[in-house]
Amino acid sequence: MTKLNREPTSEPVGKSVTRMDMYDKVTGTATFTDDLHAARGPGLYYARLVRSPHAHALVKRIDVGKALAMPGVKAVVTGQDAPEIVGMYLVDRPVLAGERVRYVGDPVAGVIATSEEIAEDAVRLVEVEYEELPAVFGPEEALAPGAPLLHPNLGEYKVANFIFPQPGTNISEHFKLRKGDVESAWPQCAAIVEGTFRLPPIQHVPLEPHISVALWEPSGQVTLWTSTQSPHAQRDLIAQSLNIPHGNLRVVSPYVGGGFGGKAGVTMEACAVVLARAVKGHPVKLRLTREEEFVGTTMRQSLVAHTKIGCDAEGNLLAMETEYHFGGGAYNDYGVNIARAAGYSCTGPYKIPNVKGDSLAVYTNLPIGGPMRGFGMPEIHWGIEQIMDQLADKIGMDPAEFRRRNCVKTDDVILTGMKMPPIDLVACIDKAAEAIGLGKDEAPSAPHKRRGKGIAIMWKAPAMPPNPGSSAIVRFNEDATVIVEIGAQELGQGSFTVAAQIAAHALGVPYEWVRVSAPIDTKYSPYEWQTVASRLTWSMGNAVKIAAEDARQQILEIVAKYWGEDPKDLDIKGGKVFSYRSEEEQPLEKMVVYGLPNENYEGWQGGPIVGRGSFMPTYVTSLDFETGQGTRAVVHYTVGAQAVDLEVDTETGQVEIIKIASVYDVGKAINPDLVLVQIEGGAVHGMSATFEALRFDEQGRPLNRSLVDYRIATAVDVPGEIHGDFVETALEDGPWGARGVGEHVMVPTAPAIANAIHDALGIRFDDLPLSAEKIFMVLQGKK
């Protein structure tokens, strides 16, 4: 059982929170804030985690006596006290490791104390006896015959019905794609290119680290204040794992200081809740250090891709065979869906008649692999887009023309048997190529530098279950200002701005009248699956539009009855209802709350206007386990092109990006400025991924878990020019045709840079990172 320190205390216990409306005059945002005395007052306790120093071991004994005897320590919780497991698609991750640890950093216990410093000191006093086991650190190693089995109970885990783990192996997911006859197509190919491409794990590096405050009240009510992309999904997963009624668990999340996928699902938040369970009535704060952020949350999975593609003499793609091995880390609860997404999108944005694809998520003894901006697409496009350049070169075709010929187009039947929704990828290619003058030779800035240009294209679908929903509420204040309530999260990407714009346009009121409620609070905010998958503009946007249109229709019907007119003859613009027939006008002010009087004030009609909207795709179908074929694999794809103009310094290996041109088909740009900002940020993020890598020693210990040693892009690295543009091909079920573009710019950046480096130097790089040192060594003829 949980070990408690019965040391007397005069500290008050945590109290229930209260909620009040506030309006920020600077940001124009209506905010629901909590009285966080319970979460930061004198009753607050602090927690630190005891982490495994071994990559793979059995936990033989834990002695918490010395830690518990330390003044200020209130409780110590071990994996035996908290045996629950949690997970998004595959429930495979212990909240605290009990019998076995599977990576360096796996938490085995938590210490709760009156200060973070005391908790940190007490962590060092917890004695853990381990029995080390053989470990595997790469997917190829984990797939080899005789590899140690990391999850012997894999067959007993709960799993989503579209994920297929292979019990008795280290394979947590195997997605198969079969189309046409690959073997009969190879002899018809005039050019064939195959290669093995490798990408290391990388970190999200949010400016704000993970932090949670949990309060488990004696009544059984649980509140979790946390920085998350997934308030409702987090509530659902933790409630299921810890057997808490959903109505008793409340998740409150303010603006998020950077997510990039790393704050999706559940990472360390469940730890905070089980620790709070040990000291009921006291909020417990668990904050990860920057060093813990690198190994104690999730990272982008590693990938080894074996890919072979062929085309005929005219440049028509004929066949593709690929096998993706994702290094999923110790637990694959979210990573399994990344492998699945890579499988049903394994061709990239190309129409290929004969395809054999296998995409595997594989357990390894490294930190947990999880979602990151792009969700598997940057990884698979790294190899695909380099091969496309090589095929074009083999048959003597311009690389942009090769892509125009073979890229997917509207109504094409793609690899899964699905008909492609409306897109215009050719227009994206044309604009990107023109922006950098692709195909035109330009002189470098110095004799020791080489200049090169490259292009890459991409696609990405929202990777999610078939039925993720969004909901919204639109209501009015007396002065006709509007409150929009959503469950979608603001990460800095502008989701609140878009929600306000959509509501304003659908209602017919000025944008300045609209407020979006924050923070997101599962007790009050309408349901939203998660803020992931670049789905909000489309899914949340539809819900907000429906809610606003519902409110608008109520207003029109009330005023039409008041005037004795047909609602079809009325409209709302500038915050006033007017009639095209009678030219009557009625301001929304007051009537949207108080209604309108009958003649001679003999009663009233109307009342407070509240619009309700919900949206969920209903048309996504299952895919055959053996072939990956089905009617509708995904809701839609966003497509785009990226072109790069750069110079390489042959004396240092340093790459300077002169210009990046990024063009994406966004369906409809609800906010063109936000689209261009996403393009800029995504281009820099994608460029940063070319020199990022989490490194580990031969025992699985992290070597560069700080911002001193882990290289990310800074202002110094930003390209001289980022040219952003977009194409608008309306999506059938998007709000006014809109689709998302948040992640997509990250996807083709690295291969576009690699293709430009090859154009400059004539050298191909199959693995990341592309460091200056690596380029220099290759130029010197060294491995």
Side-chain angles (χ1 to χ4, degrees):
M1 61 183 295
T2 302
K3 287 75 178 175
L4 293 173
N5 191 334
R6 299 300 183 184
E7 175 185 303
T9 178
S10 59
E11 296 166 325
V13 299
K15 66 176 183 178
S16 299
V17 298
T18 57
R19 185 175 169 86
M20 59 182 178
D21 292 339
M22 298 188 70
Y23 172 53
D24 187 327
K25 295 180 179 179
V26 177
T27 63
T29 302
T31 304
F32 293 133
T33 62
D34 296 280
D35 175 4
L36 291 180
H37 175 80
R40 63 187 180 198
L44 177 65
Y45 289 161
Y46 298 82
R48 300 293 294 141
L49 298 175
V50 180
R51 297 184 180 275
S52 167
H54 304 294
H56 194 199
L58 298 178
V59 180
K60 306 300 291 183
R61 181 182 63 88
I62 300 182
D63 186 343
V64 303
K66 292 179 181 178
L68 199 58
M70 188 175 181
V73 172
K74 296 301 179 180
V76 180
V77 181
T78 70
Q80 292 181 345
D81 307 317
E84 297 90 352
I85 59 175
V86 67
M88 174 67 75
Y89 298 104
L90 175 65
V91 184
D92 68 348
R93 179 151 48 99
V95 177
L96 295 172
E99 298 179 354
R100 180 191 297 249
V101 294
R102 295 179 173 91
Y103 71 98
V104 174
D106 211 349
V108 297
V111 176
I112 306 153
T114 54
S115 74
E116 196 170 43
E117 293 76 16
I118 293 173
E120 183 68 38
D121 289 341
V123 159
R124 301 185 182 96
L125 299 179
V126 176
E127 299 175 358
V128 186
E129 180 184 335
Y130 297 95
E131 179 184 323
E132 287 194 67
L133 298 172
V136 288
F137 302 115
E140 308 284 74
E141 185 183 357
L143 290 170
L149 200 61
L150 305 192
H151 287 262
N153 299 328
L154 178 57
E156 301 174 12
Y157 296 154
K158 294 179 181 179
V159 62
N161 63 4
F162 49 84
I163 299 298
F164 301 100
Q166 307 295 304
T169 75
N170 287 319
I171 300 170
S172 57
E173 159 67 348
H174 184 180
F175 185 91
K176 302 176 186 177
L177 196 292
R178 305 290 186 266
K179 179 184 179 185
D181 186 349
V182 170
E183 293 306 318
S184 67
W186 295 124
Q188 303 172 41
C189 295
I192 297 174
V193 176
E194 62 181 310
T196 297
F197 301 88
R198 301 176 186 274
L199 295 92
I202 63 175
Q203 241 297 327
H204 307 81
V205 198
L207 183 63
E208 172 201 43
H210 282 67
I211 184 168
S212 295
V213 177
L215 171 63
W216 195 305
E217 298 186 70
S219 65
Q221 293 293 319
V222 182
T223 303
L224 175 65
W225 294 269
T226 188
S227 175
T228 179
Q229 298 176 229
S230 315
H232 285 94
Q234 201 165 91
R235 180 190 64 175
D236 180 40
L237 296 175
I238 294 175
Q240 289 188 52
S241 173
L242 303 185
N243 198 29
I244 304 171
H246 284 67
N248 286 10
L249 177 57
R250 176 186 179 194
V251 177
V252 183
S253 185
Y255 298 126
V256 175
F260 314 112
K263 293 177 182 173
V266 175
T267 56
M268 48 73 80
E269 299 83 7
C271 294
V273 177
V274 299
L275 297 179
R277 183 174 60 185
V279 287
K280 290 184 174 68
H282 283 271
V284 176
K285 181 177 182 178
L286 178 61
R287 177 187 63 87
L288 297 193
T289 65
R290 178 58 63 185
E291 290 75 15
E292 285 181 299
E293 190 74 26
F294 278 93
V295 295
T297 57
T298 59
M299 62 182 186
R300 191 176 84 177
Q301 302 176 113
S302 65
L303 174 66
V304 179
H306 306 283
T307 304
K308 178 182 178 181
I309 307 176
C311 67
D312 64 20
E314 286 71 45
N316 300 302
L317 291 171
L318 298 181
M320 177 179 187
E321 185 170 351
T322 191
E323 192 159 321
Y324 299 136
H325 296 163
F326 284 92
Y331 306 106
N332 290 186
D333 69 299
Y334 214 133
V336 290
N337 200 39
I338 299 171
R340 182 175 188 268
Y344 61 63
S345 299
C346 68
T347 58
Y350 296 98
K351 187 176 180 181
I352 306 177
N354 304 286
V355 183
K356 180 184 178 184
D358 292 272
S359 185
L360 286 71
V362 184
Y363 286 120
T364 67
N365 291 117
L366 290 180
I368 303 165
M372 187 176 183
R373 191 177 192 176
F375 208 77
M377 296 302 103
E379 297 94 294
I380 70 171
H381 283 72
W382 167 248
I384 293 170
E385 284 304 290
Q386 292 198 67
I387 287 178
M388 294 303 171
D389 254 32
Q390 293 175 72
L391 286 172
D393 184 61
K394 277 180 174 286
I395 64 167
M397 184 176 287
D398 173 78
E401 182 56 34
F402 187 84
R403 288 171 169 84
R404 292 185 191 98
R405 176 183 287 264
N406 289 290
C407 70
V408 291
K409 301 173 179 68
T410 301
D411 291 336
D412 279 349
V413 176
I414 59 174
L415 71 165
T416 57
M418 166 183 161
K419 183 183 287 188
M420 190 69 181
I423 55 159
D424 193 348
L425 183 47
V426 171
C428 297
I429 295 169
D430 291 345
K431 287 190 170 189
E434 181 182 3
I436 69 158
L438 188 68
K440 297 178 182 178
D441 291 333
E442 295 188 56
S445 61
H448 63 281
K449 295 185 177 182
R450 301 290 180 268
R451 190 157 178 180
K453 298 178 182 181
I455 191 169
I457 63 175
M458 61 73 63
W459 70 352
K460 183 191 179 299
M464 55 193 186
N467 58 338
S470 298
S471 57
I473 294 171
V474 171
R475 56 189 178 89
F476 287 87
N477 297 312
E478 292 85 345
D479 62 355
T481 54
V482 180
I483 296 173
V484 176
E485 297 180 5
I486 54 176
Q489 187 57 283
E490 178 59 68
L491 313 176
Q493 83 282 40
S495 59
F496 283 13
T497 301
V498 168
Q501 285 185 271
I502 289 173
H505 189 78
L507 281 169
V509 302
Y511 166 76
E512 292 77 14
W513 289 15
V514 182
R515 315 281 185 262
V516 176
S517 296
I520 306 304
D521 184 336
T522 58
K523 187 174 181 178
Y524 301 102
S525 303
Y527 178 82
E528 180 66 60
W529 177 60
Q530 291 192 90
T531 301
V532 297
S534 302
R535 58 183 286 278
L536 287 191
T537 296
W538 164 73
S539 185
M540 173 207 74
N542 272 321
V544 171
K545 182 172 181 283
I546 292 167
E549 289 172 343
D550 179 31
R552 180 179 184 277
Q553 187 61 30
Q554 293 175 46
I555 294 168
L556 293 179
E557 289 177 0
I558 291 168
V559 176
K561 183 179 179 181
Y562 182 66
W563 287 342
E565 297 193 35
D566 190 328
K568 294 179 181 178
D569 292 330
L570 309 186
D571 203 351
I572 305 175
K573 290 185 178 179
K576 294 180 180 179
V577 183
F578 66 93
S579 169
Y580 290 107
R581 185 174 64 84
S582 65
E583 298 186 355
E584 290 264 19
E585 285 190 359
Q586 170 63 52
L588 296 183
E589 185 179 1
K590 295 185 178 180
M591 67 91 32
V592 288
V593 172
Y594 302 132
L596 293 170
N598 294 329
E599 189 173 357
N600 297 321
Y601 289 89
E602 295 290 330
W604 290 72
Q605 53 186 291
I609 300 296
V610 180
R612 174 188 176 277
S614 64
F615 174 80
M616 184 184 80
T618 58
Y619 44 77
V620 175
T621 62
S622 60
L623 302 178
D624 184 83
F625 169 69
E626 294 295 337
T627 66
Q629 298 299 303
T631 305
R632 185 75 177 252
V634 297
V635 291
H636 59 258
Y637 280 92
T638 296
V639 298
Q642 199 113 318
V644 173
D645 182 5
L646 56 73
E647 283 188 338
V648 182
D649 188 325
T650 59
E651 294 180 350
T652 64
Q654 189 69 40
V655 175
E656 180 187 355
I657 297 180
I658 299 168
K659 185 176 185 178
I660 291 182
S662 303
V663 186
Y664 293 82
D665 191 337
V666 302
K668 173 65 178 178
I670 300 294
N671 187 314
D673 287 342
L674 283 179
V675 170
L676 296 178
V677 168
Q678 283 294 323
I679 284 175
E680 290 177 2
V684 175
H685 195 180
M687 180 192 70
S688 183
T690 64
F691 44 74
E692 291 183 40
L694 263 175
R695 302 186 183 280
F696 301 86
D697 67 14
E698 65 280 358
Q699 294 181 309
R701 294 174 299 202
L703 297 174
N704 58 336
R705 55 176 182 167
S706 76
L707 293 178
V708 174
D709 301 310
Y710 185 87
R711 171 96 158 87
I712 63 170
T714 67
V716 175
D717 303 297
V718 172
E721 180 182 353
I722 300 175
H723 173 88
D725 203 350
F726 53 82
V727 172
E728 294 180 303
T729 306
L731 183 66
E732 311 111 306
D733 65 345
W736 299 287
R739 55 165 70 87
V741 71
E743 301 169 86
H744 304 83
V745 189
M746 177 118 176
V747 174
T749 309
I753 291 172
N755 287 336
I757 289 174
H758 178 267
D759 184 50
L761 302 177
I763 300 171
R764 282 276 165 207
F765 292 90
D766 298 332
D767 60 325
L768 287 173
L770 286 175
S771 64
E773 178 186 23
K774 178 186 291 185
I775 295 171
F776 176 77
M777 296 296 279
V778 171
L779 287 171
Q780 298 302 308
K782 299 177 182 179
K783 185 176 179 180

